[in-house]
Amino acid sequence: MVRPNEEVEALLQEYADLVLITGGDAFKARAYEKAARAVGGYHADVSRLDAKGLQEIPNVGRSIAEKVTEYLRTGRMPAVEDVRSKIPPGVRELMGIPTLGPKKAMLLYQDLHISSVPQLLDAIHQERLRDLKGFGPKTEENILHGIALMQAAGDRVPLNVAMEVAEDIVAELSAITGCERCTYAGSLRRMRETIGDVDILVAARGSGPFMAAFTRLPGTAEVIARGEKKTSIRTAKGLQVDLRVVPPDSWGAGLQYFTGSRPHNIRTREMAVHHKLKLSEYGLFHAKSGRKVVSRTEEEVYARLGLPWIPPTLREDRGEVAAGLRGELPELIQEADIRGDLHTHTDLTDGLAPLEEMVEAAARRGLRYYAITDHAPNLSMQRMTDEKVLAQRERVRELDGKHRKMRLLHGTELNIDADGSVDWPPEFLAGFDLCVASVHSHFNQGRDALTRRLVTACEHPEVNIIGHPTTRIIGKRPALDMDLDAVFAACARTGTALEINSHPDRLDLCDDHILRAKRYGVKFAVNTDAHAPLHLANLRYGVGTAQRGWLTAEDVINTWPLDRLRRFLRKDALARA
DNA sequence: GCCGTTTTCGGCCCGACTGTTTTCAGTCG
């Protein structure tokens, strides 16, 4: 059900973690990490490759290729199973807590026999960590904070994980005879940033074959409930999926109901009552007679309530019903509106693919322009230099024009330093077509310093886009503590766009912040931050997030024609007017 | 364990921050 590349990636990453936990060679662990990343980002399906083909993947050599081949043949990787038998899975889980790495996790296990998050919480409350070497009061505090952060994300999974599961199931069920309609609903259809469980809806006259097929899917680990109208399963990874089969005539009402959100549904049902009607998942009915009015399509249901069809990404009871009544729903940005990607990497820094491959993949996606923005020198681990970036620029200029329909831009992703300054002097930066600037360090500066820092970056004449503006990692790192309103105002004033980073672990800015920023007149850039050709497909999640922030194509600079975009990139107040 | 304008061993992502220690180990990007 999950792409084999991702299965293998997870397995190799797990092995890398276990090597570190057991105190193995750090370089070996890094080799597995690099291989895991490369497999995850590789364009071809690894299950169709032999050992030789696997070794074509960067950072996959003979040893790893053999392990992968064996796994694909037998479903097992003995090397991983070996270490697993020595280290309980909970120990690795501890590494998921920020500030807890392999060494501390192993110490907790060896000295205190802790192998789960609840056990760790107990131990902290019993003050059993106090005598542990290297653990002080501050460490305890950080661990507690980290656990709270993890628990806030709860059992929800990232948007892309749920999406892949849902699309597989929809494809399977759609192929069954008698399936008139099939799609996913719920928070996934609304493109929420994390998903609690997946809702699948089928329109068909009989439910039997669908329920049967659903429980027999390869990814089904457990059948939670099985009935005529609804069946629930849990996947091997613990994600719950509900299947509901409705009569074809109820499709629209069912889809509306199961898409939610609950507050949106309450709002629409109130409107129904107001019209002396009753709205349920089966249709819109006359309250008194019980006679059905409409139910076949969502459009009909909304229309009978006096509303235009409301896009799922707006159905959060954030004023969409009132706006619909006034005929003022925004014309939401669509994925097809995006003409270019303005934040991408190559293997010159931490990307996985060479420039040519990234450009090729972008052209295949039908983009009209594409910016290469590798990391700048101050992110020292990436070892960028003036020479390297200038050599890259020459290659970009050579490649530009090879694709008749797509132009190339040469940019960079700068680091916003603690004081708001960035890599390279202005005269060097002027040589780039555009500059993204992002925070990569000093996350805990304090609110005032962080605010000043971001505002200073906006005021830089060569900084065009603030990359992943809050630097949050969903479920792992909170957003920077800063005065967002001051930053939004600075963006609007200086002609600096805010990025909507499409990576499913980031989705940064998030929908709430987008809504706020838009009121200041800020412009946005929906970028993938791709580190591999496959990541270019994450754009849909960024566009979904932009829709949840009520954005139109006009609000987003990379929907604009290139000449208009170039004027914006000059940061010239006159050009913006 | 991978890689090679160094061809079979020796280097591999480097520096900063944090909290602990009292000179440094662990974690992170």
Side-chain angles (χ1 to χ4, degrees):
Chain A
M1 202 149 69
V2 181
R3 199 169 164 261
N5 291 42
E6 284 162 29
E7 267 175 51
V8 172
E9 179 184 10
L11 216 52
L12 294 175
Q13 181 61 52
E14 179 181 355
Y15 191 64
D17 287 346
L18 291 172
V19 167
L20 284 175
I21 290 175
T22 51
D25 179 10
F27 288 115
K28 179 175 163 182
R30 177 143 330 139
Y32 275 94
E33 256 169 44
K34 276 156 70 173
R37 246 164 53 84
V39 167
Y42 199 61
H43 56 84
D45 181 341
V46 287
S47 66
R48 293 169 193 276
L49 299 176
D50 58 8
K52 194 151 168 284
L54 287 168
Q55 285 186 65
E56 304 269 304
I57 304 174
N59 304 309
V60 175
R62 203 162 58 88
S63 169
I64 292 182
E66 268 172 25
K67 290 189 173 79
V68 173
T69 314
E70 173 157 23
Y71 172 71
L72 292 171
R73 206 182 58 238
T74 65
R76 313 178 49 153
M77 202 180 282
V80 179
E81 291 178 13
D82 260 11
V83 231
R84 267 187 195 157
S85 66
K86 292 176 198 139
I87 308 287
V91 179
R92 179 168 177 250
E93 197 185 309
L94 296 179
M95 282 177 67
I97 302 167
T99 73
L100 266 195
K103 293 289 184 304
K104 285 204 166 87
M106 192 56 179
L107 201 65
L108 287 168
Y109 175 57
Q110 279 183 326
D111 285 17
L112 300 176
H113 310 294
I114 291 169
S115 60
S116 74
V117 174
Q119 284 174 14
L120 177 56
L121 276 173
D122 281 348
I124 291 175
H125 292 133
Q126 292 161 16
E127 304 189 346
R128 284 164 57 211
L129 264 57
R130 297 286 164 90
D131 326 319
L132 220 52
K133 190 165 178 281
F135 285 71
K138 196 73 188 168
T139 308
E140 270 184 16
E141 201 181 296
N142 286 339
I143 292 174
L144 286 173
H145 184 71
I147 293 175
L149 211 61
M150 270 174 78
Q151 290 178 339
D155 298 328
R156 302 180 71 86
V157 304
L159 182 53
N160 60 324
V161 172
M163 186 65 87
E164 283 158 22
V165 169
E167 288 186 331
D168 278 348
I169 296 176
V170 168
E172 291 276 347
L173 298 181
S174 295
I176 295 175
T177 313
C179 178
E180 295 200 10
R181 305 288 295 268
C182 179
T183 191
Y184 54 83
S187 54
L188 185 59
R189 185 164 179 242
R190 303 199 312 277
M191 287 273 198
R192 269 195 62 176
E193 59 193 35
T194 59
I195 306 297
D197 49 40
V198 170
D199 296 295
I200 308 282
L201 197 62
V202 162
R205 292 186 195 286
S207 71
F210 298 95
M211 299 310 187
F214 185 56
T215 54
R216 285 200 304 263
L217 288 171
T220 298
E222 176 196 352
V223 177
I224 300 165
R226 181 172 173 166
E228 194 194 328
K229 291 182 171 139
K230 175 184 165 182
T231 292
S232 299
I233 59 120
R234 201 182 311 280
T235 69
K237 283 192 174 161
L239 181 63
Q240 182 173 329
V241 186
D242 297 342
L243 169 65
R244 289 179 165 91
V245 180
V246 299
D249 183 55
S250 299
W251 173 256
L255 187 56
Q256 199 278 332
Y257 178 82
F258 290 116
T259 297
S261 65
R262 187 162 297 148
H264 174 87
N265 284 356
I266 290 171
R267 191 70 66 182
T268 48
R269 275 189 235 165
E270 280 171 1
M271 291 188 65
V273 171
H274 196 72
H275 285 87
K276 300 207 175 345
L277 300 166
K278 181 176 77 89
L279 179 60
S280 76
E281 59 265 51
Y282 300 106
L284 194 58
F285 302 88
H286 279 294
K288 266 195 185 153
S289 66
R291 189 169 51 80
K292 185 188 279 188
V293 184
V294 285
S295 62
R296 202 161 181 88
T297 67
E298 280 195 333
E299 284 80 356
E300 288 171 327
V301 171
Y302 279 111
R304 189 61 186 74
L305 297 174
L307 287 165
W309 179 78
I310 298 178
T313 43
L314 295 186
R315 299 183 196 172
E316 298 290 346
D317 192 26
R318 290 197 277 215
E320 71 279 6
V321 169
L325 284 172
R326 292 194 307 271
E328 289 174 7
L329 282 175
E331 180 126 352
L332 292 183
I333 180 175
Q334 304 297 321
E335 195 174 347
D337 293 330
I338 301 282
R339 288 178 196 243
D341 200 331
L342 301 178
H343 181 178
T344 72
H345 296 272
T346 74
D347 62 2
L348 184 62
T349 56
D350 59 351
L352 293 161
L355 172 65
E356 289 77 5
E357 277 181 32
M358 294 301 287
V359 169
E360 197 61 46
R364 275 200 302 273
R365 292 186 62 82
L367 295 182
R368 309 302 299 273
Y369 48 85
Y370 183 76
I372 294 94
T373 57
D374 269 312
H375 287 289
N378 292 358
L379 202 63
S380 51
M381 62 180 171
Q382 304 300 350
R383 298 182 149 184
M384 179 56 96
T385 63
D386 295 15
E387 294 70 36
K388 279 190 190 169
V389 84
L390 290 175
Q392 182 186 56
R393 183 173 305 159
E394 265 188 47
R395 288 174 61 211
V396 167
R397 299 302 183 222
E398 283 165 22
L399 276 178
D400 189 19
K402 256 189 76 181
H403 298 275
R404 262 185 310 138
K405 291 182 175 161
M406 187 177 82
R407 297 301 307 273
L408 294 179
L409 303 174
H410 190 236
T412 179
E413 183 184 11
L414 301 166
N415 306 286
I416 305 177
D417 223 329
D419 61 359
S421 62
V422 295
D423 321 55
W424 285 315
E427 56 274 19
F428 191 86
L429 292 180
F432 289 102
D433 297 318
L434 83 161
C435 296
V436 179
S438 319
V439 170
H440 292 117
S441 61
H442 306 90
F443 301 112
N444 297 316
Q445 266 185 318
R447 190 174 170 86
D448 289 346
L450 273 169
T451 306
R452 263 200 311 280
R453 183 178 175 193
L454 267 289
V455 170
T456 304
C458 290
E459 286 168 345
H460 193 296
E462 302 295 341
V463 169
N464 304 115
I465 298 168
I466 303 295
H468 43 75
T470 76
T471 77
R472 71 151 177 186
I473 308 284
I474 296 171
K476 191 125 201 197
R477 186 169 68 205
L480 295 175
D481 176 24
M482 56 187 175
D483 178 357
L484 282 171
D485 292 287
V487 175
F488 296 158
C491 284
R493 174 166 54 81
T494 58
T496 312
L498 285 169
E499 178 171 84
I500 298 169
N501 189 296
S502 304
H503 195 292
D505 292 340
R506 289 193 184 269
L507 298 176
D508 180 13
L509 288 180
C510 68
D511 51 4
D512 284 335
H513 293 157
I514 295 167
L515 279 163
R516 259 165 82 187
K518 180 174 171 164
R519 284 195 223 107
Y520 287 85
V522 173
K523 295 298 179 196
F524 302 85
V526 181
N527 296 328
T528 62
D529 197 359
H531 285 66
L534 273 179
H535 300 162
L536 296 172
N538 285 335
L539 192 64
R540 60 193 301 197
Y541 305 119
V543 171
T545 303
Q547 290 183 346
R548 292 177 57 83
W550 291 53
L551 295 190
T552 66
E554 175 62 23
D555 297 315
V556 176
I557 62 172
N558 50 325
T559 67
W560 298 352
L562 185 55
D563 51 351
R564 183 177 175 202
L565 172 66
R566 283 195 195 275
R567 285 199 297 279
F568 179 86
L569 296 176
R570 286 207 297 268
K571 289 194 94 166
D572 176 342
L574 276 177
R576 288 205 309 281

